[in-house]
Amino acid sequence: GVIYGDLVTAAYDAATGTDVDLSDGHDAFFDPEAVQGYIDAAAAEGINFPVHLDMLVIETSDRLLKQSQSMKQSVEENSNGQIIIDLILRDEDTVQNIAYYNTDPALADYDISTFTGWGPDYADPLTYMDLWTDGYTHNYGAWHSDEYMEILNKIKTVEYAVDAEARWDLIKQAEQIIADESVILPVYQNCNAS
């Protein structure tokens, strides 16, 4: 067999015409030189800079405050001050109610949240992919794609349960949709030292 990460990398490269390293521990998309090009393209479409983005932070958490300050510094430095992250400090209950327990995206008055984490329940990509299905409680942005739903429904059929190669091909297609539409933009990944 082929390592799943290699399959995803090959599918991503084929779809985008790029050659990126998506291996663990490597930030394949950090490209400070490309930032100004994105800013220029957005400005050409009428976006006024600098842009301010609100990021909710639990004010009593030293760890979360330091992570947020680090992200703020990195984004602002690498955008030459054209993207500003405003840290919105609130007590834990307020942040949890706004960013985690809220079920109405219209009431979410923030731009960046780090309170949408997920850990796998079982050893299969579907443990993450189900997050982006209709009505799922962790689909915070209420994202929807008919094509994605069709693929996920196929993956769960008996036909694809017995044909591993075809199943992995469908999983690659579904993950490509997630990547293409930027359903989620991970800002960090927790890990354990072994």
Side-chain angles (χ1 to χ4, degrees):
V2 179
I3 295 173
Y4 180 68
D6 294 340
L7 292 172
V8 173
T9 299
Y12 182 85
D13 289 348
T16 62
T18 60
D19 181 22
V20 297
D21 179 2
L22 297 177
S23 60
D24 286 346
H26 177 77
D27 189 350
F29 303 103
F30 181 69
D31 186 354
E33 290 81 37
V35 172
Q36 190 60 47
Y38 290 115
I39 290 171
D40 293 343
E45 292 183 19
I47 304 296
N48 295 318
F49 287 90
V51 169
H52 286 260
L53 302 173
D54 292 341
M55 181 174 185
L56 285 173
V57 183
I58 297 173
E59 61 194 357
T60 57
S61 172
D62 187 55
R63 178 184 60 84
L64 293 175
L65 191 55
K66 286 178 181 176
Q67 284 177 338
S68 301
Q69 289 168 336
S70 175
M71 181 176 172
K72 173 183 173 61
Q73 179 183 351
S74 180
V75 168
E76 291 177 7
E77 284 179 4
N78 287 291
S79 70
N80 294 316
Q82 296 302 300
I83 301 171
I84 308 296
I85 295 180
D86 296 315
L87 302 180
I88 309 301
L89 306 178
R90 298 289 184 265
D91 64 272
E92 184 171 357
D93 287 341
T94 300
V95 171
Q96 294 289 350
N97 286 329
I98 293 170
Y100 193 73
Y101 297 117
N102 178 24
T103 58
D104 183 356
L107 299 176
D109 187 20
Y110 59 88
D111 301 299
I112 302 170
S113 172
T114 59
F115 299 96
T116 56
W118 181 258
D121 291 327
Y122 51 95
D124 188 272
L126 287 182
T127 193
Y128 291 101
M129 298 172 81
D130 278 337
L131 295 172
W132 316 120
T133 57
D134 296 336
Y136 198 85
T137 55
H138 289 286
N139 186 358
Y140 296 108
W143 175 80
H144 171 79
S145 163
D146 288 336
E147 181 183 10
Y148 183 81
M149 291 302 298
E150 181 181 325
I151 291 171
L152 248 58
N153 288 332
K154 280 183 185 177
I155 291 169
K156 296 175 182 181
T157 64
V158 172
E159 175 186 352
Y160 289 97
V162 297
D163 186 346
E165 188 173 329
R167 182 176 186 273
W168 285 111
D169 192 48
L170 286 176
I171 288 171
K172 288 188 303 185
Q173 291 175 38
E175 287 196 344
Q176 186 62 51
I177 293 169
I178 292 170
D180 287 347
E181 296 197 20
S182 301
V183 174
I184 186 168
L185 302 171
V187 293
Y188 66 87
Q189 175 180 326
N190 289 330
C191 60
N192 295 319
S194 51

